[in-house]
Amino acid sequence: MRYRVIHRTSYEYDADVSDSFGIAHVVPRELPWQQVHSRGVEIEPVPADTTDDVDGYGNLSTYYHVTEAHRRLRVNAESEVTVLAPAYDPAALAQPWEAARPMVHRDLPDAWAAAEFVVESPKAQHAAAAREYAAASFLPGRAIGDAVVDLTHRIFRDFRYDGKATTVTSTVGDVLAARAGVCQDFAHLALACLRTHGLAARYVSGYLATQPPPGKERVFGADASHAWLAVWLPLSGEWLAVDPTNDQVVGDRHVTTAWGRDYGDVAPVKGVIFTEAKRSTLRVAVDVAPLEGAAV
């Protein structure tokens, strides 16, 4: 499916900002199942310095430094992308999960690279309760594909989506206690579950194309940035991507922008400002619009 993706971020302050430094991950990656036709990022006020780069995970990032005094900063991204549903090697999915642990089986191809996604990261702490929760899915000898899908289903079933249940500082332990959260929380929980069992798993940031209710028109800004995760399959070198928020294997409605250890590596926009402002307001509008009649 082909989409036009628009991501608009706006910061407003109650006093002048003299300098604003930031990094944005807001444009899609080129991938075997994802073709990027166009992409661009515009920043207002116009930065004195801006650079497009590729980070250590292969993500496209935009660095900016705004030196003009301002009370509003806008980061606007627009892309066109075609997404296919990824296909996975059946033999890789059928491998027992115990055999897919890179820090146990160090002779596996690329185990050295996957090992980074086994160790604890700041927002996906290795909580003992996460390991205990995941144990029901990771029975001895179970196929890794079945185990990961089962964990995805259980998180969807056992946890409530609630934007007020957590904050940006909430931990995996907080999510387990509340039995609620948002997509970033469920991705971090799943990462902790998988990594405490020795599996390599990475956080994925992107967008999900949604459908309006029957009889309703699409409303700009009704979509949002989204998060899911992917698990390493050593037999094929593929990464099985699953979305616990929606209880599904990632398909052609998921647009991938970036991946890393957790949200901290791939936040859509993050940075530092110099100001005496006491209050600020953040507004984000995302639209993932199918392009009818476009060639795939």
Side-chain angles (χ1 to χ4, degrees):
M1 189 67 190
R2 186 162 175 164
Y3 303 99
R4 177 178 292 114
V5 182
I6 299 173
H7 187 147
R8 295 178 177 170
T9 303
S10 176
Y11 297 91
E12 295 188 8
Y13 309 96
D14 65 351
D16 283 351
V17 173
S18 60
D19 285 90
S20 181
F21 299 84
I23 296 177
H25 293 97
V26 287
V27 294
R29 293 180 62 131
E30 190 77 34
L31 298 166
W33 62 90
Q34 181 168 281
Q35 180 183 4
V36 180
H37 306 287
S38 65
R39 57 188 167 216
V41 179
E42 293 186 353
I43 299 163
E44 302 175 11
V46 176
D49 182 19
T50 182
T51 305
D52 292 328
D53 201 359
V54 178
D55 68 16
Y57 299 114
N59 305 311
L60 298 172
S61 60
T62 300
Y63 161 81
Y64 61 85
H65 177 198
V66 176
T67 57
E68 175 185 333
H70 57 280
R71 294 197 178 193
R72 178 164 60 184
L73 175 72
R74 292 178 175 176
V75 179
N76 298 326
E78 183 169 342
S79 308
E80 284 194 16
V81 58
T82 295
V83 184
L84 305 175
Y88 301 100
D89 181 349
L93 294 172
Q95 183 181 34
W97 68 268
E98 297 97 330
R101 296 173 292 176
M103 296 183 74
V104 175
H105 303 283
R106 299 184 182 184
D107 58 336
L108 289 169
D110 296 325
W112 64 272
E116 178 179 6
F117 296 100
V118 180
V119 298
E120 186 175 53
S121 62
K123 294 184 178 294
Q125 306 92 339
H126 287 187
R131 177 178 171 80
E132 181 180 347
Y133 176 80
S137 296
F138 290 91
L139 302 175
R142 191 174 193 180
I144 186 171
D146 290 344
V148 171
V149 169
D150 183 65
L151 176 65
T152 301
H153 172 68
R154 290 176 54 229
I155 292 174
F156 175 80
R157 180 194 67 196
D158 296 342
F159 291 76
R160 183 181 77 260
Y161 189 94
D162 183 351
K164 297 181 179 179
T166 56
T167 68
V168 294
T169 62
S170 294
T171 66
V172 168
D174 294 333
V175 176
L176 282 162
R179 280 295 196 271
V182 295
C183 59
Q184 291 89 348
D185 298 313
F186 301 150
H188 288 145
L189 169 61
L191 291 176
C193 288
L194 292 158
R195 292 172 180 172
T196 53
H197 281 78
L199 296 170
R202 63 193 184 195
Y203 181 99
V204 186
S205 178
Y207 308 102
L208 177 64
T210 59
Q211 297 295 332
K216 300 292 185 179
E217 294 184 357
R218 297 189 75 260
V219 177
F220 180 87
D223 298 318
S225 58
H226 192 45
W228 56 96
L229 65 138
V231 185
W232 185 53
L233 304 176
L235 278 185
S236 61
E238 300 165 321
W239 291 74
L240 171 61
V242 292
D243 179 356
T245 303
N246 294 290
D247 190 20
Q248 59 188 245
V249 175
V250 165
D252 63 1
R253 294 193 302 122
H254 291 76
V255 179
T256 301
T257 57
W259 58 59
R261 297 167 302 162
D262 57 33
Y263 175 84
D265 287 337
V266 294
V269 182
K270 61 181 179 180
V272 176
I273 62 172
F274 290 86
T275 183
E276 294 185 2
K278 303 299 182 183
R279 293 184 299 276
S280 64
T281 302
L282 168 64
R283 294 184 175 88
V284 178
V286 173
D287 191 52
V288 185
L291 297 178
E292 296 181 6
V296 175

